[in-house]
Amino acid sequence: MDKQVALVTGASRGIGKAILHALASDGYLVVGTATSESGANTIQEALNSNGYEGQALVLDVTQDDSIKACLNNIKEKYGAPTILINNAGITKDNLLMRMKDEEWNDVINTNLSSMYRLSKACMRDMMKAKTGRIVNISSVVGASGNAGQTNYSAAKAGIFGFTKSLAQEIGSRGITVNAIAPGFIETDMTDELNEDQQKALMSKIPMGRMGSVKDIAEAVKFLVSESAGYITGETIHINGGLYMA
Ligand code: NAP
């Protein structure tokens, strides 16, 4: 296959959907995932209606079997992905005092352990291909912390260490590993913030607006491009100045 295959997890909506479409419009053969058949159908319809080449698959990033089935499916049809965008994520906010084990474990599993599972499952084929790009979607709160999000901040901070370590392990194989830390982006995830929370937030953002999914997708496009071939182990913060690392 001439076209590189890009796998984007959690592409049914929000940031993942924007990344999927940005990569497809740049000429990559894209595979986008959702946790349900209906989500996958929605992804497929959107790809088809835009005339993009690619496929939608069901994937649960917390389940080894699901990852194996998804990757086998991709390999049989298109060949192994050389671009992996670890985007899928969830929040289950609570003050630590009230946090349930399930809220802690689900968030760590979905946001952080998924990076371990997916990256490990994809990197052997990237090594064979002698090229690869892994982009991990973290969050500003992984750097700044946020009351009520100990689980989410811990997972997102873990991504920084994971990214730097893996970048050191596989840089010599022509594979780059980077992270993006979005600030507050307009998606289903931030729709959950109430009006007071949104107002308080806006007063702290020098650019005076929430980010758009395109702000993130454009940076992903750059990181997977030839132009970014010497950038690895880095985090790009995209937050309108909310937090300056
Ligand atoms: P979103 O709109 O809530 O979408 C989340 C995506 O992840 C959906 O496609 C969802 O699939 C998928 N997903 C959830 N659990 C999954 C699982 N177990 N296995 C596979 N896929 C799963 O989220 P978003 O706002 O676009 O966020 C995308 C990423 O950016 C996340 O990692 C998030 O933490 C990070 N981020 C977001 C913001 C923000 O302001 N929005 C800020 C910083 C970082 P289904 O549709 O099937 O449920």
Side-chain angles (χ1 to χ4, degrees):
M1 304 286 300
D2 287 333
K3 284 189 171 185
Q4 284 196 79
V5 179
L7 169 60
V8 184
T9 67
S12 56
R13 48 203 161 92
I15 293 172
K17 181 180 176 185
I19 294 170
L20 188 78
H21 286 226
L23 296 184
S25 73
D26 246 17
Y28 297 96
L29 201 157
V30 293
V31 178
T33 76
T35 57
S36 64
E37 285 289 349
S38 66
N41 289 341
T42 309
I43 295 174
Q44 192 68 61
E45 279 161 21
L47 288 175
N48 294 347
S49 67
N50 282 288
Y52 293 143
E53 197 176 356
Q55 194 181 352
L57 291 174
V58 172
L59 170 69
D60 182 342
V61 295
T62 67
Q63 302 298 322
D64 283 328
D65 287 354
S66 178
I67 292 172
K68 209 171 167 188
C70 175
L71 284 172
N72 283 343
N73 202 327
I74 299 170
K75 282 193 221 175
E76 268 172 31
K77 195 159 179 194
Y78 304 116
T82 50
I83 296 170
L84 168 65
I85 314 299
N86 281 314
N87 167 76
I90 56 166
T91 51
K92 290 198 175 179
D93 298 351
N94 219 336
L95 295 173
L96 189 64
M97 189 74 95
R98 294 188 198 135
M99 190 169 289
K100 298 181 186 70
D101 287 355
E102 187 202 331
E103 291 167 336
W104 175 267
N105 290 329
D106 285 355
V107 167
I108 298 293
N109 233 332
T110 310
N111 295 279
L112 181 59
S113 303
S114 60
M115 308 261 157
Y116 156 74
R117 292 197 185 90
L118 260 307
S119 305
K120 197 172 168 193
C122 289
M123 60 191 254
R124 194 182 295 274
D125 286 307
M126 291 184 187
M127 285 176 175
K128 270 192 213 149
K130 297 190 174 64
T131 182
R133 295 278 195 267
I134 299 176
V135 180
N136 300 322
I137 306 299
S138 177
S139 166
V140 63
V141 305
S144 66
N146 196 23
Q149 291 196 309
T150 50
N151 51 359
Y152 185 72
S153 317
K156 294 302 191 181
I159 292 172
F160 299 139
F162 176 86
T163 298
K164 289 178 193 173
S165 302
L166 185 58
Q168 290 179 31
E169 288 182 21
I170 58 180
S172 64
R173 308 300 192 100
I175 304 166
T176 68
V177 190
N178 292 289
I180 287 181
F184 288 83
I185 309 299
E186 282 184 75
T187 65
D188 290 353
M189 202 175 259
T190 45
D191 279 352
E192 287 171 18
L193 299 171
N194 65 36
E195 211 173 304
D196 286 346
Q197 287 171 315
Q198 295 214 11
K199 252 190 215 155
L201 187 64
M202 219 60 81
S203 69
K204 293 186 193 144
I205 302 175
M207 297 303 290
R209 65 168 176 93
M210 296 245 271
S212 74
V213 291
K214 193 163 180 273
D215 291 323
I216 309 303
E218 288 298 315
V220 173
K221 244 167 59 172
F222 170 63
L223 283 176
V224 304
S225 73
E226 289 271 329
S227 314
Y230 201 53
I231 301 174
T232 196
E234 280 302 322
T235 296
I236 300 184
H237 287 266
I238 306 172
N239 58 40
L242 171 68
Y243 176 87
M244 300 186 187

